Amino acid sequence: VADAYICSGARGVGKTTTARILAKALNCVQGPTTQPCNVCDACREITAGNSLDVLEIDAASNRGIDQVRELREMVRYAPASSRHKVVILDEAHMLTTEASNALLKTLEEPPDKVIFVMATTEPEKLVDTIRSRAQHFHFRALSFTEIIQALEAIAKQEKVIAETSALAVIARAADGSLRDGLSLLEQALAYCGDRVTETQVREILG
């Protein structure tokens, strides 16, 4: 496992979700494992977003050097109850130059048991020295079929009847972003109730 990762790609393709799954894989009671159980305390806390050892930081609104200094102070301490501390920096390209340099110092001498995951839609804006110290994974947009399959699975779980043609309209509008697809499905459910038709979805989308 590397000390730092960059997950890049368009919005809504699973960058932050993947970072959370990595945190579960490392901290699951049955782990480290490629199949986190999702039922132990560590997994449930990460799902709920209240794990003391998985820090999610929005770099767009915490982009200054003071916030990164605070972060550096926090990661110096051992994990509270997990094997690893995982720091997820969303929109990492928004960090100021000073903040990036401060983060670089931490990446050069990473504290034990701390893993950084930087999620970004614009990896080329990250400082070269940070990019060279991280493993970079580029996420492609999801295909039309993949989005339909995900929407069908969710509709089934939620016990909703959704016409395949209605889901096809949503998938096309989502344009490769599963998150956009899920938002549109949610709108459709609010509008249509538990039966989603193509006609109604087209009405919602104008």
Side-chain angles (χ1 to χ4, degrees), residues 138-155:
H138 184 71
F139 290 51
R140 62 173 174 79
L142 279 82
S143 71
F144 175 72
T145 309
E146 285 168 330
I147 293 178
I148 283 195
Q149 285 170 346
L151 296 177
E152 280 176 342
I154 288 163

Side-chain angles (χ1 to χ4, degrees), residues 26 35 41 62 75 100 103 133 141 159 176-177 195-196 201:
L26 292 169
Q35 299 287 332
D41 288 348
N62 296 284
V75 297
S100 294
L103 177 63
R133 280 184 166 76
K159 297 181 173 54
S177 167
R195 188 178 185 90
V196 180
V201 169

Side-chain angles (χ1 to χ4, degrees), residues 19 22-23 26-27 53-56 84-88 115 117:
L22 173 63
L26 292 169
N27 289 330
D53 295 315
V54 179
L55 312 170
E56 276 193 48
H84 293 268
K85 255 188 185 161
V86 180
V87 178
I88 303 169
I115 287 150
V117 183

Side-chain angles (χ1 to χ4, degrees), residues 118-133:
M118 290 162 275
T120 174
T121 50
E122 299 178 58
E124 67 284 353
K125 287 189 179 174
L126 288 170
V127 181
D128 286 346
T129 41
I130 286 181
R131 278 159 57 186
S132 69
R133 280 184 166 76

Side-chain angles (χ1 to χ4, degrees), residues 3-120:
D3 294 316
Y5 294 92
I6 295 167
C7 297
S8 66
R11 62 198 171 80
V13 294
K15 301 182 296 294
T16 310
T17 300
T18 300
R20 290 186 197 124
I21 294 169
L22 173 63
K24 285 184 186 180
L26 292 169
N27 289 330
C28 176
V29 74
Q30 296 175 10
T33 172
T34 54
Q35 299 287 332
C37 70
N38 275 324
V39 292
C40 70
D41 288 348
C43 282
R44 288 211 317 269
E45 283 171 4
I46 293 166
T47 300
N50 56 19
S51 169
L52 293 174
D53 295 315
V54 179
L55 312 170
E56 276 193 48
I57 297 160
D58 178 13
S61 49
N62 296 284
R63 57 198 294 259
I65 189 159
D66 291 339
Q67 284 90 348
V68 173
R69 279 185 183 139
E70 272 176 43
L71 173 63
R72 286 178 62 193
E73 198 62 35
M74 277 154 59
V75 297
R76 280 175 46 206
Y77 302 105
S81 58
S82 309
R83 278 186 216 91
H84 293 268
K85 255 188 185 161
V86 180
V87 178
I88 303 169
L89 275 171
D90 245 333
E91 302 301 334
H93 62 275
M94 298 289 282
L95 290 173
T96 62
T97 307
E98 294 87 350
S100 294
N101 289 334
L103 177 63
L104 178 61
K105 282 182 183 163
T106 305
L107 296 180
E108 283 171 339
E109 296 170 21
D112 196 29
K113 305 286 188 192
V114 177
I115 287 150
F116 286 87
V117 183
M118 290 162 275
T120 174

